[in-house]
Amino acid sequence: MPHDVFLLDTNILSNASKTRPIPTVSQWLARQTRIAIPFAAIVEIEQGIVEVSRSQPQKASTLWDWADGLLKTDFDFPAMSPDVARMLGQLHCCRPLKQLWLPDPRSNGKKPGQDLSIAATAIVHKLPIATLDAADFMLIQQYFPLPGVFNPAFGVWVVHPSSKLSARVDLTAA
């Protein structure tokens, strides 16, 4: 498994777009020689900018410029291959993960995120995930072993790359 490249969750990319990003995350990101951006993160970024454009068109324009620049980089963009689609189908059919792909009617129209798609990409391409919010990935890890989950804000492996399904972190114990 490559340890020199991380698959970035959308929140890592969003942090990079802020005028006041989390310093430890920015420093970690600056030290990376290779990063991978999943298709699902691009989708979430585009959805977020569309939402912003409804009330703040000038801010949305700035964010679209930032996103365009991001897409012109030489970052890795792992393929959404048939194997990723097959894994995503398995994740979608795992009933305990249902809340990660099915909108909650009590959520006032909030759409579910793309964590299942990011997880499928990570599993197939054997890339550890860098995220600021590991809760959904910890749930996924209970049913599908992930190749690693790292929180750069705290410098902590939530799921160590060498761990298997049996090695889980109890987030409620902290």
Side-chain angles (χ1 to χ4, degrees), residues 134-149:
D136 290 346
F137 295 111
M138 292 309 301
L139 178 61
I140 295 165
Q141 169 71 10
Q142 291 179 30
Y143 305 96
F144 295 87
L146 295 169
V149 178

PDB file of all heavy atoms in Angstrom, residues 134-149:
ATOM      1  N   ALA A 134     -13.649  11.651  11.123  1.00  0.00           N
ATOM      2  CA  ALA A 134     -13.484  10.212  10.899  1.00  0.00           C
ATOM      3  C   ALA A 134     -14.702   9.378  11.268  1.00  0.00           C
ATOM      4  O   ALA A 134     -14.714   8.177  11.011  1.00  0.00           O
ATOM      5  CB  ALA A 134     -12.269   9.713  11.681  1.00  0.00           C
ATOM      6  N   ALA A 135     -15.734   9.969  11.839  1.00  0.00           N
ATOM      7  CA  ALA A 135     -16.860   9.182  12.365  1.00  0.00           C
ATOM      8  C   ALA A 135     -17.491   8.269  11.313  1.00  0.00           C
ATOM      9  O   ALA A 135     -17.696   7.076  11.572  1.00  0.00           O
ATOM     10  CB  ALA A 135     -17.910  10.104  12.975  1.00  0.00           C
ATOM     11  N   ASP A 136     -17.816   8.791  10.132  1.00  0.00           N
ATOM     12  CA  ASP A 136     -18.432   7.962   9.094  1.00  0.00           C
ATOM     13  C   ASP A 136     -17.478   6.870   8.625  1.00  0.00           C
ATOM     14  O   ASP A 136     -17.884   5.736   8.372  1.00  0.00           O
ATOM     15  CB  ASP A 136     -18.882   8.804   7.903  1.00  0.00           C
ATOM     16  CG  ASP A 136     -20.076   9.688   8.228  1.00  0.00           C
ATOM     17  OD1 ASP A 136     -20.718   9.473   9.273  1.00  0.00           O
ATOM     18  OD2 ASP A 136     -20.360  10.602   7.428  1.00  0.00           O
ATOM     19  N   PHE A 137     -16.197   7.200   8.527  1.00  0.00           N
ATOM     20  CA  PHE A 137     -15.225   6.200   8.097  1.00  0.00           C
ATOM     21  C   PHE A 137     -15.042   5.118   9.164  1.00  0.00           C
ATOM     22  O   PHE A 137     -14.813   3.957   8.838  1.00  0.00           O
ATOM     23  CB  PHE A 137     -13.898   6.855   7.721  1.00  0.00           C
ATOM     24  CG  PHE A 137     -14.035   7.756   6.520  1.00  0.00           C
ATOM     25  CD1 PHE A 137     -13.912   9.128   6.648  1.00  0.00           C
ATOM     26  CD2 PHE A 137     -14.318   7.231   5.266  1.00  0.00           C
ATOM     27  CE1 PHE A 137     -14.056   9.956   5.543  1.00  0.00           C
ATOM     28  CE2 PHE A 137     -14.467   8.047   4.163  1.00  0.00           C
ATOM     29  CZ  PHE A 137     -14.338   9.419   4.303  1.00  0.00           C
ATOM     30  N   MET A 138     -15.180   5.478  10.429  1.00  0.00           N
ATOM     31  CA  MET A 138     -15.105   4.475  11.490  1.00  0.00           C
ATOM     32  C   MET A 138     -16.297   3.524  11.403  1.00  0.00           C
ATOM     33  O   MET A 138     -16.156   2.329  11.640  1.00  0.00           O
ATOM     34  CB  MET A 138     -15.044   5.145  12.864  1.00  0.00           C
ATOM     35  CG  MET A 138     -13.740   5.894  13.112  1.00  0.00           C
ATOM     36  SD  MET A 138     -12.265   4.908  12.794  1.00  0.00           S
ATOM     37  CE  MET A 138     -12.514   3.565  13.923  1.00  0.00           C
ATOM     38  N   LEU A 139     -17.464   4.053  11.053  1.00  0.00           N
ATOM     39  CA  LEU A 139     -18.633   3.196  10.852  1.00  0.00           C
ATOM     40  C   LEU A 139     -18.395   2.257   9.670  1.00  0.00           C
ATOM     41  O   LEU A 139     -18.645   1.051   9.763  1.00  0.00           O
ATOM     42  CB  LEU A 139     -19.885   4.047  10.620  1.00  0.00           C
ATOM     43  CG  LEU A 139     -21.179   3.281  10.343  1.00  0.00           C
ATOM     44  CD1 LEU A 139     -21.548   2.379  11.529  1.00  0.00           C
ATOM     45  CD2 LEU A 139     -22.306   4.258  10.033  1.00  0.00           C
ATOM     46  N   ILE A 140     -17.902   2.790   8.582  1.00  0.00           N
ATOM     47  CA  ILE A 140     -17.607   1.966   7.404  1.00  0.00           C
ATOM     48  C   ILE A 140     -16.587   0.883   7.766  1.00  0.00           C
ATOM     49  O   ILE A 140     -16.742  -0.280   7.383  1.00  0.00           O
ATOM     50  CB  ILE A 140     -17.096   2.846   6.239  1.00  0.00           C
ATOM     51  CG1 ILE A 140     -18.203   3.800   5.764  1.00  0.00           C
ATOM     52  CG2 ILE A 140     -16.586   1.977   5.081  1.00  0.00           C
ATOM     53  CD1 ILE A 140     -17.724   4.945   4.886  1.00  0.00           C
ATOM     54  N   GLN A 141     -15.572   1.235   8.542  1.00  0.00           N
ATOM     55  CA  GLN A 141     -14.514   0.306   8.939  1.00  0.00           C
ATOM     56  C   GLN A 141     -15.068  -0.907   9.684  1.00  0.00           C
ATOM     57  O   GLN A 141     -14.499  -1.991   9.621  1.00  0.00           O
ATOM     58  CB  GLN A 141     -13.488   1.058   9.814  1.00  0.00           C
ATOM     59  CG  GLN A 141     -12.476   0.193  10.526  1.00  0.00           C
ATOM     60  CD  GLN A 141     -11.433  -0.448   9.624  1.00  0.00           C
ATOM     61  OE1 GLN A 141     -11.321  -0.114   8.452  1.00  0.00           O
ATOM     62  NE2 GLN A 141     -10.658  -1.364  10.172  1.00  0.00           N
ATOM     63  N   GLN A 142     -16.200  -0.756  10.343  1.00  0.00           N
ATOM     64  CA  GLN A 142     -16.800  -1.886  11.058  1.00  0.00           C
ATOM     65  C   GLN A 142     -17.246  -2.995  10.111  1.00  0.00           C
ATOM     66  O   GLN A 142     -17.362  -4.148  10.519  1.00  0.00           O
ATOM     67  CB  GLN A 142     -17.998  -1.412  11.886  1.00  0.00           C
ATOM     68  CG  GLN A 142     -17.615  -0.537  13.049  1.00  0.00           C
ATOM     69  CD  GLN A 142     -18.837  -0.079  13.821  1.00  0.00           C
ATOM     70  OE1 GLN A 142     -19.852  -0.777  13.875  1.00  0.00           O
ATOM     71  NE2 GLN A 142     -18.737   1.089  14.418  1.00  0.00           N
ATOM     72  N   TYR A 143     -17.507  -2.656   8.846  1.00  0.00           N
ATOM     73  CA  TYR A 143     -18.037  -3.623   7.880  1.00  0.00           C
ATOM     74  C   TYR A 143     -17.108  -3.881   6.697  1.00  0.00           C
ATOM     75  O   TYR A 143     -17.185  -4.935   6.067  1.00  0.00           O
ATOM     76  CB  TYR A 143     -19.409  -3.148   7.375  1.00  0.00           C
ATOM     77  CG  TYR A 143     -20.346  -2.916   8.527  1.00  0.00           C
ATOM     78  CD1 TYR A 143     -20.512  -1.650   9.072  1.00  0.00           C
ATOM     79  CD2 TYR A 143     -21.014  -3.989   9.122  1.00  0.00           C
ATOM     80  CE1 TYR A 143     -21.337  -1.455  10.169  1.00  0.00           C
ATOM     81  CE2 TYR A 143     -21.835  -3.796  10.218  1.00  0.00           C
ATOM     82  CZ  TYR A 143     -21.991  -2.526  10.733  1.00  0.00           C
ATOM     83  OH  TYR A 143     -22.794  -2.341  11.829  1.00  0.00           O
ATOM     84  N   PHE A 144     -16.267  -2.895   6.382  1.00  0.00           N
ATOM     85  CA  PHE A 144     -15.342  -2.998   5.251  1.00  0.00           C
ATOM     86  C   PHE A 144     -13.990  -2.436   5.688  1.00  0.00           C
ATOM     87  O   PHE A 144     -13.898  -1.250   6.021  1.00  0.00           O
ATOM     88  CB  PHE A 144     -15.865  -2.186   4.045  1.00  0.00           C
ATOM     89  CG  PHE A 144     -17.146  -2.704   3.481  1.00  0.00           C
ATOM     90  CD1 PHE A 144     -18.368  -2.295   4.000  1.00  0.00           C
ATOM     91  CD2 PHE A 144     -17.137  -3.610   2.429  1.00  0.00           C
ATOM     92  CE1 PHE A 144     -19.562  -2.781   3.489  1.00  0.00           C
ATOM     93  CE2 PHE A 144     -18.326  -4.091   1.902  1.00  0.00           C
ATOM     94  CZ  PHE A 144     -19.542  -3.687   2.439  1.00  0.00           C
ATOM     95  N   PRO A 145     -12.944  -3.258   5.685  1.00  0.00           N
ATOM     96  CA  PRO A 145     -11.637  -2.760   6.120  1.00  0.00           C
ATOM     97  C   PRO A 145     -11.118  -1.651   5.204  1.00  0.00           C
ATOM     98  O   PRO A 145     -11.096  -1.814   3.985  1.00  0.00           O
ATOM     99  CB  PRO A 145     -10.732  -3.977   6.079  1.00  0.00           C
ATOM    100  CG  PRO A 145     -11.507  -5.091   5.496  1.00  0.00           C
ATOM    101  CD  PRO A 145     -12.924  -4.668   5.309  1.00  0.00           C
ATOM    102  N   LEU A 146     -10.743  -0.557   5.801  1.00  0.00           N
ATOM    103  CA  LEU A 146     -10.184   0.570   5.065  1.00  0.00           C
ATOM    104  C   LEU A 146      -8.657   0.505   5.119  1.00  0.00           C
ATOM    105  O   LEU A 146      -8.092  -0.007   6.088  1.00  0.00           O
ATOM    106  CB  LEU A 146     -10.684   1.887   5.676  1.00  0.00           C
ATOM    107  CG  LEU A 146     -12.193   2.124   5.560  1.00  0.00           C
ATOM    108  CD1 LEU A 146     -12.620   3.309   6.420  1.00  0.00           C
ATOM    109  CD2 LEU A 146     -12.590   2.347   4.108  1.00  0.00           C
ATOM    110  N   PRO A 147      -7.994   1.052   4.108  1.00  0.00           N
ATOM    111  CA  PRO A 147      -6.527   0.998   4.073  1.00  0.00           C
ATOM    112  C   PRO A 147      -5.844   2.037   4.955  1.00  0.00           C
ATOM    113  O   PRO A 147      -4.653   2.273   4.836  1.00  0.00           O
ATOM    114  CB  PRO A 147      -6.206   1.221   2.595  1.00  0.00           C
ATOM    115  CG  PRO A 147      -7.359   1.977   2.071  1.00  0.00           C
ATOM    116  CD  PRO A 147      -8.563   1.541   2.864  1.00  0.00           C
ATOM    117  N   GLY A 148      -6.589   2.658   5.831  1.00  0.00           N
ATOM    118  CA  GLY A 148      -6.048   3.654   6.757  1.00  0.00           C
ATOM    119  C   GLY A 148      -6.909   4.905   6.752  1.00  0.00           C
ATOM    120  O   GLY A 148      -7.481   5.274   5.727  1.00  0.00           O
ATOM    121  N   VAL A 149      -7.024   5.520   7.931  1.00  0.00           N
ATOM    122  CA  VAL A 149      -7.729   6.797   8.074  1.00  0.00           C
ATOM    123  C   VAL A 149      -6.867   7.660   8.985  1.00  0.00           C
ATOM    124  O   VAL A 149      -6.556   7.262  10.116  1.00  0.00           O
ATOM    125  CB  VAL A 149      -9.140   6.616   8.668  1.00  0.00           C
ATOM    126  CG1 VAL A 149      -9.823   7.976   8.842  1.00  0.00           C
ATOM    127  CG2 VAL A 149      -9.998   5.696   7.791  1.00  0.00           C
TER     128      VAL A 149
END
